[in-house]
Each structure stands twice: as C-alpha cells, then as structure tokens.
Amino acid sequence: APALSERGSMTFDIALVLIVMLITAGLFSWGRLTVDLVALIVMATLLLLGLVSPEQGITGFSNTATVTVGAMFILSAGLYRSGAVNFVGVMLTRLGRSSMWLALVLVMVGAGAVSAFMNNTAAVAIFLPIVVGAAKSLDVSPGRLLMPLSFASMFGGVCTLIGTSTNILVSSIAEEHGLPAIGMFEMLRLGLIFFAAGTVYMIVFGVRMLPDRRPEGFLGERYGMAEYLVEVVVGPDAKSVGHPIGTSPLVQELKVDVLDLIRGETRIPFPPAALVIEAGDILRLRANVAEVSALQERQGLTIRPRQRWTIRRLEDGPTVRMEVILAPGSRLEARTLRESRFAATYGAMVLAIRQRGRVMHADLENTRLQAGDALLVEAPSLAVDTLRQSGDFVLVSELQEPKFRRSKIVPAVAIISAVVGTAALGILPILVGAIAGCVLMVLTRCLSLDEAYQAIDWKVIFLLAGILTLGHAMENTGTATYLARLMVTGVGGLGPVALVAAFYLLTTLLTEMMSNNATAVLLAPVAIATADSLGIDARPLLMAVAFAASASFMTPMGYQTNTMVLTPGQLRYRDFLRVGTPLNLMFWVLATFFIPRFWPF
C-alpha cells in the first residue's frame, strides 16, 4: 500500500524516492554516464533499498512499451535498408535546388512526414548528408537547413503513436493505470497544428535568426590539419631503418601515428606494426606541433613540402578522409578510442576530434567521446561501409550512395502500412502488429536476421527497462500521489487548464536537461494521480506530458536529433537557445489552448 499518510505528509520511503529522482536527474544532466547506465543504476538502487520487488525491478524488460519500441527500431531499419527514405530525401532536395526557401519547405515537410512513421533519429541520419550536399549546392549555411531538419523530425514525431518512443511509453503507462491506450492517430490534430505552426515559424523567423555561418576551406583545413599531417622521407642513416614500425624509434620516442607507407610504387595504408622500415620509404604521419619540430631535428629524416589536406574521393586512392558524427546511443559514447579499440574495430584512424566546438589533435586515444562529437577519420575505402553500417556514426560526407535493396521498397512500405493500418483500425494492438511486421521484414528479406538484431538501439531498451522501475517505486511508496497533491495545491486552484499548462512547462524544462523518456516516466504517473485527486479525466494531462517530452528545441543536448546536427550545421548552443526558446513558448501556448478542446476534462 502507498506509504502516504492520511494528511498527505512525506514519509521516509517517499523521501528516499525523491532523493533517487533528484540524483537521477543530476546524472542525466551531468552527461558523463550513458543514459542506459544511469537507468540501470536507478534500478539497482531501488532494488537494494527495497522500494520495489525483484519482480517489479525487471518488469520493464517485458513492458509493452519496451518491446514495441524495440520492434519499431527493426521496422525503421527495414524501411531504411530498402532505400525508400533515401529516395524521398534525394527527390526533395533535387526539387529544391533552385531556391533555399523551397528546399527548406521540402526538407521540413519530407522529414516530418517520414518521422511520423519511423524513428526520427534514423530519419535525420538519412537526410543529414543529403541536406548538407544541398546546402553546398545552394551556397547557404548548412545550419539554416539542418536545424529545421531536426525540428521538423520532432514536429512529425508527435503526429502518431509510433512517431517517438515517448508516445509509446506514455500510452503504456496509461494502460497500466487502467486507462485507454493512445490511438495511432489520436495525436494527429494537435500534431498537425504544431507541424504547421513550427514550419511557418522557422520559415518566417527561425532561419533568419541563424547567422550565415559556413564551413571554411577544405575538410582538413577546418580541423586545422595543416600543422598535424606531415610526410617524411626515411634516409639510409635514419635510426628507424631496419626496425618494425611499432617498435621503431620514430614511433616509440615521438608517439606519432603512421597513416601511410609509400615504398616505390606501392602505397600501404595503415601499415601493420610488424612491417620493417626501409631506407627510401615515405611515411605519412599524424603528429602535433612539438613532434613536427622534433622530426625536423632528427638525422636521416626529410620532411616533404606540406599539401592541402582535402577530402579525398574514393576513386582517387585506396583511402578516404571524411567527417562522421558520433550518433546518440553509439557504443563509443562515454568511452575512449583506446577502450573501444577504434582502429581494430572500424579499420579507420581518427585524425582529429571536434567536441563542443573545440578541435583536439593531441591525446585522442584517451579523449572520452560524447554524442554529437565530430570525428575526422581516414579509412580504406572498403571500411566506409563498416563505419556506416555500425550504427555508431552518422556520415556527414557521404562519398557514394549507400547500398540499398531497392527491390524491397514495395514490401517494406507495405509492411509499415499494414502495421499502422491494423493499429489505427483497432484490428491488432500495436505491439502485436509491430512484432508481426518485424517477422515479415526478415521473411521478405528486407532485413537479414543479424541486421534486425543490430537495428535495435539497446541503450534505449535498457533505458526504458531501468527507468520504468522508478515508476513502480513512485507508485509503491505514494510518491506520485504526494507530488500530485503538491501540484494540486500549487496550481489546481487555477483550474484544470492551468494544470495542463503547468505539466507541459515542467515537462519541457526537464526534457531540456535529461532524457525525454525519463521525463515521461517521472511525470506521467504524477499526471494520472493529479487527475484522480481532482476527479477529472487524466487524458489532457498525459497529452501535455507526451507532447512536451518530444518537443525540445532550446538546447542541442535536449533531443537526439539536435545533437546530430550541431557540428555539421556549424551551429552553437546559443543558436538553439535563440531560435528554440520562442518555439517552445509558442508550442506551450498552443498546447494549453488546444489540449482541453481536443481532450476535454
């Protein structure tokens, strides 16, 4: 039974849960630990404190929201592998090449429409290199197309139940409390209002508020590589002659990375450590300024004239240099290159890292990576597919079109349509339809079984499973009821509409600092308890939480797609604050006005 006293006062268990909630919010905001690890820490803590039973602690893994979200990752991957989304993106940008404003409208409408039916992070990953190319063709700042791309994916995500994992999660919480699930298109009316208002705002005001900030020079120059890439000719009297590369004085004393070895007419990219250096070899090295100076003083080594380090096309040689963005949920998040064995895993070398606007060249192996970091990498052309298919990166500089299964466009689209249609018509629950759709994706060979497993973002799955435990603790201890009474005391006297406004605003602010799914898990039970205490329908308050949790525009870390476009768009934190704050306020006003009309109390 809830541990809340008859007078609604705080108990020891409630205090414990509130402390856990505050620590959880702090860990999410801190960003040094991945969201899934934070969620598992929460689960373990609540189990150790006895605030949830062992059975409740693991029910998040079998929760309908967790399973449905996992299935949606697979369905989205099937649609991606078919090339259907890429085809839409290419056609839209081709149509918009005559005008930046036409391209802006087409990109926002296209990305929003696609994001309504597939994971919006995946949608932005597909559109991103296409839009970067379009911005270059139109000679405009990439940020003026990429920020609208990110925002449009959020506009589309709130139009359907499957548009974001947050919608599915709130629907599942509603069902657990005996309320009807959210319908497939139940959110469409307000979603379309958000979509239209947001698109008009970005065209009329938002884009004009962004500075015309464009990439300067070639890719290598933007990362300051002129001072860090050198070629040396090994003379016959050089100390390293006759030594394997890995143990040579050159590498051991100066700690340089050997990117290429040219011997006669043969070029060996990323030469093995056991390869013996010979007189006359040309070595291309990554070295810092101090190392370059030291190289100049070493007897037997001659530095060749510097070149302009540009992005190299695939056909120009066996290696390619390109920019990749560390995707949200990447396995490398919160890890170093050394810990992840980057070179061995991906067959590529990291030349520089851009993190929070700062370019780093030294001690890269020990730099802890964050989602949104831009990496300048060089890899053999055959390793490009490995980088792309790993799911850990978004390739900004697509040098060739990914390999799609275009013959599977029709079955993939048909399967997605069937999942959506059967759920919308009430023929099948979304969970059943989504699982059946996953099976059909594999049987029709839109995806292989291995690709289906790889498509699931396991960090999101563990995040949901872990954080749902906190929802159980809030129910067990009466914390949800306690917080609901505080909300009623503070705002309830102003009427239910004021509560809609309060829940929307609170959700928006929390989502800017922590995971949107975690915010939904924390506030959805409070919204239901608040409605129960006032004897009103909980639907309007739940909708306020669902819409606000998926509409985070004020910070690049508030939503995954914002993180993805930060670096390739040449954007800054202040850009999101300047453009996103009025948009958040506008959506808050629209939600406060329309939610009570579409979902009466």
Side-chain angles (χ1 to χ4, degrees):
L4 190 67
S5 73
E6 293 180 358
R7 293 179 297 174
S9 59
M10 183 183 292
T11 66
F12 180 71
D13 284 351
I14 291 176
L16 281 180
V17 172
L18 290 176
I19 291 171
V20 172
M21 290 170 63
L22 289 173
I23 294 174
T24 301
L27 290 175
F28 278 126
S29 302
W30 187 38
R32 295 295 298 272
L33 301 178
T34 58
V35 292
D36 54 326
L37 179 57
V38 173
L40 291 177
I41 290 172
V42 171
M43 177 193 291
T45 301
L46 295 173
L47 285 167
L48 290 171
L49 292 175
L51 297 173
V52 293
S53 67
E55 292 76 15
Q56 289 177 322
I58 61 171
T59 52
F61 289 102
S62 61
N63 185 275
T64 56
T66 307
V67 179
T68 303
V69 168
M72 294 311 303
F73 281 125
I74 296 174
L75 294 174
S76 295
L79 199 59
Y80 164 75
R81 296 280 182 182
S82 72
V85 180
N86 182 267
F87 177 78
V88 171
V90 171
M91 290 299 101
L92 290 175
T93 51
R94 283 179 181 174
L95 289 173
R97 280 182 179 173
S98 60
S99 164
M100 191 273 281
W101 300 104
L102 178 59
L104 176 63
V105 173
L106 292 175
V107 165
M108 293 192 72
V109 171
V114 168
S115 297
F117 300 102
M118 70 177 291
N119 180 272
N120 50 7
T121 304
V124 170
I126 296 168
F127 272 81
L128 195 149
I130 301 171
V131 173
V132 169
K136 185 176 180 180
S137 299
L138 292 165
D139 193 28
V140 299
S141 170
R144 290 187 168 183
L145 291 178
L146 288 179
M147 183 182 285
L149 168 66
S150 174
F151 287 2
S153 72
M154 288 185 261
F155 301 162
V158 296
C159 288
T160 67
L161 172 64
I162 62 174
T164 72
S165 58
T166 308
N167 296 348
I168 298 172
L169 182 58
V170 172
S171 178
S172 173
I173 292 172
E175 283 190 283
E176 288 179 355
H177 288 79
L179 302 174
I182 297 175
M184 177 60 69
F185 294 108
E186 185 179 344
M187 304 173 72
L188 183 61
R189 288 181 296 175
L190 184 54
L192 289 177
I193 291 172
F194 275 18
F195 200 134
T199 301
V200 170
Y201 167 81
M202 289 303 297
I203 294 171
V204 176
F205 301 106
V207 171
R208 302 176 195 274
M209 296 165 68
L210 291 172
D212 187 14
R213 196 182 291 123
R214 310 185 191 193
E216 297 179 1
F218 294 105
L219 184 59
E221 294 171 346
R222 297 203 299 272
Y223 279 84
M225 295 308 299
E227 300 295 326
Y228 287 86
L229 290 177
V230 295
E231 286 186 357
V232 298
V233 181
V234 181
D237 55 347
K239 294 181 180 180
S240 295
V241 171
H243 291 270
I245 290 175
T247 58
S248 66
L250 179 66
V251 172
Q252 291 296 310
E253 295 176 20
L254 298 182
K255 307 298 181 184
V256 298
D257 293 320
V258 180
L259 305 179
D260 282 304
L261 184 148
I262 301 173
R263 180 172 293 166
E265 300 297 321
T266 303
R267 179 183 172 200
I268 306 172
F270 310 122
L275 183 65
V276 176
I277 297 175
E278 297 179 2
D281 286 348
I282 299 173
L283 303 177
R284 191 159 61 88
L285 312 173
R286 182 178 69 80
N288 64 30
V289 175
E291 289 163 354
V292 172
S293 299
L295 280 175
Q296 291 175 326
E297 300 170 2
R298 291 184 73 85
Q299 183 181 8
L301 296 177
T302 304
I303 295 180
R304 301 183 80 193
R306 290 174 183 167
Q307 305 176 23
R308 294 188 76 189
W309 301 103
T310 66
I311 183 164
R312 188 174 299 152
R313 310 300 295 185
L314 283 173
E315 60 269 18
D316 290 341
T319 62
V320 56
R321 188 171 304 120
M322 60 196 308
E323 183 179 34
V324 300
I325 304 298
L326 195 69
S330 168
R331 289 172 293 177
L332 277 71
E333 195 173 351
R335 301 177 69 192
T336 66
L337 297 178
R338 188 184 303 279
E339 291 169 349
S340 62
R341 301 182 69 247
F342 187 94
T345 303
Y346 303 101
M349 179 78 71
V350 176
L351 304 181
I353 299 173
R354 186 186 298 274
Q355 187 174 82
R356 303 290 178 92
R358 183 170 64 96
V359 178
M360 294 177 286
H361 301 96
D363 201 27
L364 300 184
E365 290 290 312
N366 298 311
T367 299
R368 203 156 294 279
L369 301 173
Q370 304 171 13
D373 285 356
L375 279 58
L376 179 63
V377 301
E378 184 162 305
S381 53
L382 295 177
V384 175
D385 276 341
T386 301
L387 288 166
R388 182 189 296 113
Q389 295 173 10
S390 68
D392 294 319
F393 310 99
V394 178
L395 275 61
V396 179
S397 314
E398 281 284 15
L399 304 180
Q400 63 179 9
E401 187 177 87
K403 297 176 182 178
F404 295 116
R405 302 179 182 124
R406 299 200 181 277
S407 62
K408 302 300 180 182
I409 289 179
V410 173
V413 172
I415 290 169
I416 295 289
S417 301
V419 172
V420 173
T422 53
L425 297 173
I427 298 173
L428 292 174
I430 182 62
L431 173 63
V432 177
I435 292 176
C438 292
V439 174
L440 288 174
M441 282 288 186
V442 174
L443 291 178
T444 58
R445 297 185 179 179
C446 295
L447 282 176
S448 69
L449 194 57
D450 285 342
E451 289 171 340
Y453 287 131
Q454 293 169 5
I456 300 174
D457 188 340
W458 292 104
K459 287 192 175 183
V460 173
I461 299 302
F462 277 88
L463 165 65
L464 294 177
I467 207 67
L468 280 167
T469 310
L470 186 53
H472 288 299
M474 292 173 66
E475 294 295 325
N476 291 348
T477 61
T479 305
T481 304
Y482 176 77
L483 293 176
R485 291 188 183 181
L486 292 180
M487 183 68 79
V488 170
T489 302
V491 185
L494 300 176
V497 174
L499 284 170
V500 170
F503 271 103
Y504 190 99
L505 181 61
L506 181 59
T507 305
T508 293
L509 295 176
L510 285 177
T511 302
E512 298 292 350
M513 299 182 291
M514 56 188 281
S515 161
N516 54 332
N517 286 321
T519 301
V521 168
L522 293 178
L523 294 183
V526 179
I528 294 171
T530 301
D532 288 344
S533 66
L534 292 174
I536 61 175
D537 192 344
R539 206 64 159 191
L541 304 185
L542 284 174
M543 286 299 170
V545 171
F547 276 97
S550 298
S552 179
F553 311 110
M554 291 167 54
T555 68
M557 314 312 294
Y559 204 80
Q560 293 174 326
T561 57
N562 289 349
T563 305
M564 293 167 65
V565 303
L566 177 65
T567 299
Q570 302 291 305
L571 297 167
R572 305 286 185 267
Y573 278 61
R574 61 179 178 271
D575 296 330
F576 284 92
L577 191 63
R578 182 189 303 117
V579 178
T581 301
L583 188 57
N584 267 358
L585 293 173
M586 182 175 70
F587 277 21
W588 179 37
V589 172
L590 290 173
T592 303
F593 181 80
F594 283 106
I595 285 178
R597 285 159 178 78
F598 293 155
W599 294 277
F601 295 101

